[in-house]
């Protein structure tokens, strides 16, 4: 299969299935690379290469012979720099590796914020426990530690005292992939938000904003993302302005973006930003639902070097629409599930776009210790905030996990 209609997609997990399907719907063939024989995208791809995506020697020459016209990924932070590197080697359009690092390395993000006078918490890069302890004592307030370039909340801990720092520093350090260091920073109290958008030659456009809620037992793991275009308690126009400024100042040539912010003392502080769409189908389903804009089609066309004729925008008819990404939780301290109630309601309600259980009857479920340990989710939408809240309450009442 050697022609000019091949697009390489890495990795080939479940969150890349929607972009693979979109590529094929536009008339292109998909080359998918993933380590596992039963990788989710393989069922939908034209060429399947079983390999660790970071071991390029295993597949680069095979892919080069197929002359791909683009390299793409989505909803996968760890693939951002790899995609840039592969695209450069294959001679197709992408961001540069240094640009990719600005959107994966939390230290570079903090330094960029400071350089451009954007809101930035106090922080320090710490290669040792002694350095972290010294910074914590000088900071003299609640701190958060996180790996420099990890994802899915792995190795992220809130530090309230020196004993907690002693307990968690080595684990946080273990999740840093490239530079064995931890970023220690002032803990920003207050509400957290996500912003998803797209960068074209017209600049950056924010397409969907969510207000997040976190589990009481683990404040670093979210259980709800409530999407709306306005918020009675927060200035979303200010949030859009800050987010657009970061992306436009960075020089990102094109791509989807997913950012997380926290609000404290009247200001939005960037926690992190990625040059990719939000995971758990945020970019695949929620962004087009909330905006009416086909972000995947535009992403694919930009990767192929095609111009974007119109400035991306939210459809005016959808300005009151709301959506939610809600994660299920294990009741109490967890247990072995004997019955799942309410799945038919999830399956048949037209306002529920997707749902997933990461367990089956007979499995034991536990409270979430990180993002990837959450037991499932649903995505739903409604044409007003109150309708959305009513539907969420109905789902809460009808979907039950019986121990």
């Amino acid at each position: 299969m050697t022609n000019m209609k091949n697009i390489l997609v890495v990795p080939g997990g479940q969150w890349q299935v929607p972009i693979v399907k979109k590529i094929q719907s536009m008339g292109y063939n998909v080359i998918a690379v993933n380590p596992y024989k039963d990788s989710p995208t393989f069922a939908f791809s034209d060429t399947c290469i079983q390999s660790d995506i970071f071991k390029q020697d295993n597949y680069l020459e095979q892919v080069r012979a197929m002359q791909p016209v683009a390299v793409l990924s989505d909803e996968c932070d760890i693939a951002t720099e790899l995609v840039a590197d592969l695209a450069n080697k294959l001679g197709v359009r992408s961001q540069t590796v240094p640009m990719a690092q600005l959107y994966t390395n939390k230290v570079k993000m903090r330094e960029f914020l400071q350089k451009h006078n954007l809101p930035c918490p106090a922080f320090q890069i710490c290669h040792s426990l002694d350095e972290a302890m010294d910074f914590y004592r000088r900071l003299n307030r609640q701190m958060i530690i996180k790996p420099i370039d990890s994802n899915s909340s792995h190795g992220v801990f809130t530090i309230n005292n020196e004993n907690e720092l002693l307990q968690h520093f080595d684990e946080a350090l273990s999740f840093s992939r490239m530079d064995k260091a931890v970023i220690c920073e002032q803990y920003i109290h207050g509400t957290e938000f996500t912003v998803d958008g797209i960068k074209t030659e017209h600049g950056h456009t924010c397409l969907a904003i969510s207000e997040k809620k976190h589990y009481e037992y683990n404040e670093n793991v979210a259980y709800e993302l409530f999407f709306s275009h306005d918020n009675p308690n927060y200035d979303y126009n200010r949030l859009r302005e800050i987010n657009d400024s970061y992306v436009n100042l960075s020089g990102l040539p094109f791509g989807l973006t997913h950012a997380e912010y926290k609000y404290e003392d009247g200001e939005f502080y960037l926690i992190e930003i990625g040059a990719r769409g939000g995971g758990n189908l945020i970019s695949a389903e929620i962004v087009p639902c909330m905006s009416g804009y086909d972000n995947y089609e535009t992403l694919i066309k930009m990767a192929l070097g095609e111009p974007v004729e119109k400035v991306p925008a939210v459809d005016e008819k959808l300005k009151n629409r709301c959506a939610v990404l809600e994660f299920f939780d294990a009741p109490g301290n967890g247990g072995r599930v004997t019955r799942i109630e309410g799945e038919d309601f999830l399956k048949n309600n037209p306002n529920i776009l997707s749902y997933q259980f990461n367990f089956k009857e007979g499995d034991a479920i536990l409270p979430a210790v990180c993002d990837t340990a959450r037991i499932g989710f649903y995505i739903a939408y409604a044409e007003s905030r109150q309708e959305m809240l009513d539907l969420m309450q109905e789902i809460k009442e009808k979907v039950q996990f019986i121990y």
Side-chain angles (χ1 to χ4, degrees):
M1 186 184 71
T2 302
N3 58 52
M4 297 302 289
K5 298 279 282 184
N6 296 326
I7 292 179
L8 173 63
V9 175
V10 292
Q14 65 169 321
W15 307 126
Q16 290 75 55
V17 170
I19 192 78
V20 165
K21 289 182 176 180
K22 185 65 179 181
I23 290 168
Q24 291 191 322
S25 75
M26 294 172 65
Y28 291 86
N29 299 315
V30 174
I31 308 164
V33 181
N34 212 54
Y36 312 110
K37 185 176 181 180
D38 57 350
S39 295
T41 59
F42 284 4
F44 307 97
S45 302
D46 300 278
T47 300
C48 306
I49 301 175
Q50 187 178 344
S51 172
D52 182 331
I53 61 172
F54 296 104
K55 295 182 178 178
Q56 297 183 31
D57 290 345
N58 293 345
Y59 62 87
L60 184 57
E61 290 310 311
Q62 181 182 352
V63 169
R64 196 192 304 275
M66 299 179 189
Q67 299 176 302
V69 291
V71 180
L72 287 169
S73 182
D74 190 41
E75 302 197 14
C76 182
D77 206 48
I78 63 172
T80 303
E81 188 174 339
L82 174 65
V83 167
D85 184 43
L86 286 169
N88 179 63
K89 291 173 178 174
L90 294 167
V92 298
R93 189 175 189 230
S94 181
Q95 58 187 299
T96 64
V97 170
M99 181 64 66
Q101 292 171 346
L102 178 58
Y103 282 86
T104 53
N105 186 298
K106 297 178 181 65
V107 177
K108 295 183 184 297
M109 295 176 201
R110 294 285 173 269
E111 292 171 345
F112 187 85
L113 291 171
Q114 288 183 331
K115 178 181 178 181
H116 294 281
N117 296 315
L118 294 170
C120 181
F123 74 96
Q124 181 172 309
I125 312 313
C126 300
H127 292 82
S128 69
L129 176 60
D130 288 343
E131 288 181 335
M133 190 67 73
D134 179 66
F135 176 74
Y136 177 66
R137 290 167 179 166
R138 286 187 285 110
L139 188 64
N140 195 31
R141 59 171 288 174
Q142 192 176 34
M143 182 173 79
I144 190 165
I145 62 173
K146 59 187 75 171
I148 287 176
D149 55 2
S150 183
N151 65 325
S152 300
S153 297
H154 291 298
V156 178
F157 298 100
T158 303
I159 304 301
N160 298 289
N161 53 62
E162 293 185 8
N163 285 335
E164 290 182 355
L165 183 56
L166 286 167
Q167 180 183 352
H168 296 302
F169 181 83
D170 286 343
E171 183 175 353
L173 185 68
S174 71
F175 283 102
S176 283
R177 295 188 300 271
M178 302 301 290
D179 182 10
K180 282 302 176 182
V182 166
I183 182 168
C184 300
E185 65 183 30
Q186 164 192 349
Y187 185 88
I188 303 298
H189 294 270
T191 305
E192 188 170 349
F193 302 86
T194 66
V195 186
D196 281 77
I198 190 167
K199 173 63 168 60
T200 69
E201 61 261 45
H202 304 288
H204 186 263
T205 303
C206 300
L207 296 173
I209 298 177
S210 83
E211 180 180 348
K212 298 177 75 172
K213 293 181 180 179
H214 297 77
Y215 295 116
E216 289 186 4
Y217 57 81
N218 191 337
E219 59 190 359
N220 293 316
V221 180
Y223 74 84
E224 179 183 300
L225 284 73
F226 191 98
F227 290 82
S228 62
H229 294 297
D230 295 294
N231 190 314
N233 301 313
Y234 302 96
D235 185 355
Y236 276 5
N237 286 331
R238 172 60 177 162
L239 181 54
R240 293 183 184 99
E241 178 186 351
I242 293 172
N243 198 55
D244 287 343
S245 293
Y246 185 102
V247 179
N248 289 330
L249 286 168
S250 76
L252 182 72
F254 73 96
L256 305 186
T257 64
H258 173 77
E260 298 180 359
Y261 289 82
K262 292 192 80 171
Y263 184 85
E264 183 179 85
D265 296 333
E267 192 57 272
F268 293 99
Y269 290 87
L270 179 70
I271 303 303
E272 60 182 298
I273 184 168
R276 45 90 181 175
N280 288 99
L281 303 177
I282 292 176
S283 59
E285 294 189 353
I286 294 178
V287 170
C289 174
M290 285 297 296
S291 65
Y293 186 80
D294 194 335
N295 55 332
Y296 271 7
E297 181 174 317
T298 301
L299 173 65
I300 295 164
K301 287 183 175 179
M302 290 190 295
L304 294 168
E306 298 179 16
V308 177
E309 296 179 358
K310 295 183 179 180
V311 179
V314 174
D315 190 328
E316 288 292 330
K317 298 175 183 176
L318 305 180
K319 289 291 186 173
N320 294 320
R321 178 173 283 185
C322 294
V324 70
L325 168 58
E326 185 87 3
F327 292 90
F328 298 114
D329 194 17
N333 294 320
R336 192 167 299 280
V337 178
T338 58
R339 189 170 73 257
I340 300 173
E341 295 182 348
E343 185 171 3
D344 285 345
F345 179 76
L346 295 174
K347 188 180 299 182
N348 298 318
N349 189 300
N351 283 74
I352 297 175
L353 299 177
S354 292
Y355 75 92
Q356 178 177 302
F357 298 133
N358 299 328
F359 65 94
K360 59 184 183 299
E361 291 180 0
D363 289 346
I365 57 175
L366 297 169
V369 295
C370 65
D371 287 357
T372 55
R374 291 176 292 199
I375 61 174
F377 67 90
Y378 70 84
I379 295 172
Y381 76 97
E383 299 307 330
S384 71
R385 181 178 291 268
Q386 189 57 54
E387 289 175 358
M388 187 72 262
L389 293 173
D390 291 344
L391 177 56
M392 291 167 64
Q393 181 60 33
E394 189 173 8
I395 294 171
K396 184 177 180 180
E397 293 170 357
K398 291 185 175 180
V399 179
Q400 300 287 327
F401 308 136
I402 311 302
Y403 293 159

